[in-house]
Amino acid sequence: MYLGDETWPDLGEYFEDESLALVPTGSTEQHGPHLPEATDHLIAEAFAREAADRTGYLCTPTVNVGVSGHHRQFHGTMWVEPQVFREYMESLTRNLTEHGIDRVVYVNAHGGNVPHLREVGARLREDETAFAVEWMWNESIPDLVDDLFEQNGPHGGPKETAMIQYLRSELVREDRLEEARDGGVPSVDAAETVKHGSRTFYDAADNTENGVLGDQTDATAEKGERLFEAATEQLVELCEWMAAREYEDLMPRDHV
């Protein structure tokens, strides 16, 4: 069920029976010369909608702009400051609780959002407002990602390329895959920006001239479909696990 397609009386019937919502979160930022800036939020929304279709749980509209200041040197990247993003996500989630939602999955496809979504979830749980967790698609299937790609990225690499080839093939500049590979770096290690145990880089531009890592020519739509199906299964199982728990068991334990 997609919230934006429903009327308020129909949504009222949902809230009578269910208390879980999926909130897709991504970014609008550079993904190299071959992928659209919408890459992350397209992936997040696809997962959230598919899981909602399979389970009947509620999917909210997508948060399209996230914490992406580290890509600011590349044309078109949009971002909000981390504290603004945290405040927005917390407010949005508290809004959902007004309607009876008490479990939220942030269906996330942008690494820059991860620590901030985790912090928001911790705040909401601490005051027992809701149980909200961040879910990152590739982290749910790490073995498959490693099996499919020799150099998977991370950013703008073959795993994201394969996902967009599968979900929105018309947006992939297939004639630029070699350019993306040759103008970027295979990995953060190859960028040699970790010095004596310290991450000396702050921005994507510190690591790679064209904004991406990995071998994009290793991506195919078929691999994207395998990734999508496997990760969707994990997301569905997470939703079912959360829905089956007693709310009290999801809240902080008493002091020892």
Side-chain angles (χ1 to χ4, degrees):
M1 173 183 284
Y2 178 64
L3 187 150
D5 290 341
E6 303 297 324
T7 66
W8 70 260
D10 294 329
L11 288 167
E13 294 178 8
Y14 176 83
F15 295 129
E16 286 180 3
D17 299 324
E18 302 289 353
S19 62
L20 186 145
L22 299 110
V23 179
T25 64
S27 69
T28 299
E29 65 182 26
Q30 72 85 17
H31 276 77
H34 65 301
L35 290 179
E37 304 224 346
T39 291
D40 286 345
H41 71 249
L42 290 174
I43 293 172
E45 182 168 334
F47 276 120
R49 288 206 180 213
E50 183 66 20
D53 287 344
R54 295 187 188 188
T55 61
Y57 294 125
L58 184 68
C59 175
T60 74
T62 303
V63 178
N64 291 338
V65 177
V67 181
S68 299
H70 50 292
H71 292 290
R72 66 189 183 279
Q73 289 94 342
F74 296 91
H75 302 308
T77 292
M78 301 182 69
W79 70 92
V80 294
E81 296 301 320
Q83 69 273 18
V84 174
F85 179 76
R86 292 193 295 268
E87 290 170 3
Y88 179 86
M89 293 305 303
E90 182 172 346
S91 179
L92 183 153
T93 308
R94 290 184 185 278
N95 155 243
L96 289 171
T97 67
E98 289 288 323
H99 303 298
I101 294 297
D102 61 18
R103 297 142 217 255
V104 173
V105 180
Y106 300 124
V107 181
N108 183 45
H110 173 51
N113 293 341
V114 171
H116 310 292
L117 293 171
R118 290 283 299 169
E119 182 175 331
V120 169
R123 288 182 189 173
L124 294 166
R125 183 173 182 260
E126 184 64 27
D127 62 18
E128 301 190 8
T129 298
F131 183 71
V133 296
E134 181 268 344
W135 178 86
M136 185 80 172
W137 72 271
N138 55 289
E139 293 181 2
S140 75
I141 50 169
D143 292 340
L144 179 59
V145 172
D146 287 341
D147 288 345
L148 290 179
F149 309 108
E150 184 174 348
Q151 288 285 356
N152 61 50
H155 184 73
K159 65 175 182 283
E160 290 184 322
T161 302
M163 287 291 294
I164 299 301
Q165 285 173 324
Y166 172 61
L167 296 172
R168 294 290 302 275
S169 61
E170 75 278 9
L171 297 180
V172 180
R173 280 60 167 182
E174 295 284 348
D175 60 336
R176 298 179 184 171
L177 296 183
E178 291 186 5
E179 175 188 344
R181 178 196 63 196
D182 297 342
V185 293
S187 64
V188 173
D189 288 343
E192 299 183 347
T193 51
V194 176
K195 304 293 186 183
H196 311 290
S198 175
R199 292 160 55 103
T200 65
F201 59 92
Y202 285 95
D203 298 329
D206 297 333
N207 284 326
T208 164
E209 290 294 326
N210 69 357
V212 294
L213 304 93
D215 182 359
Q216 291 74 15
T217 66
D218 197 20
T220 66
E222 291 74 21
K223 290 181 179 180
E225 182 176 14
R226 288 184 63 186
L227 294 170
F228 186 78
E229 288 300 319
T232 298
E233 289 178 8
Q234 292 298 310
L235 179 55
V236 167
E237 290 185 17
L238 173 62
C239 292
E240 299 291 8
W241 178 86
M242 289 175 62
R245 304 274 80 74
E246 294 292 335
Y247 182 69
E248 293 75 15
D249 293 338
L250 298 172
M251 291 295 100
R253 297 185 181 188
D254 293 334
H255 194 287
V256 296

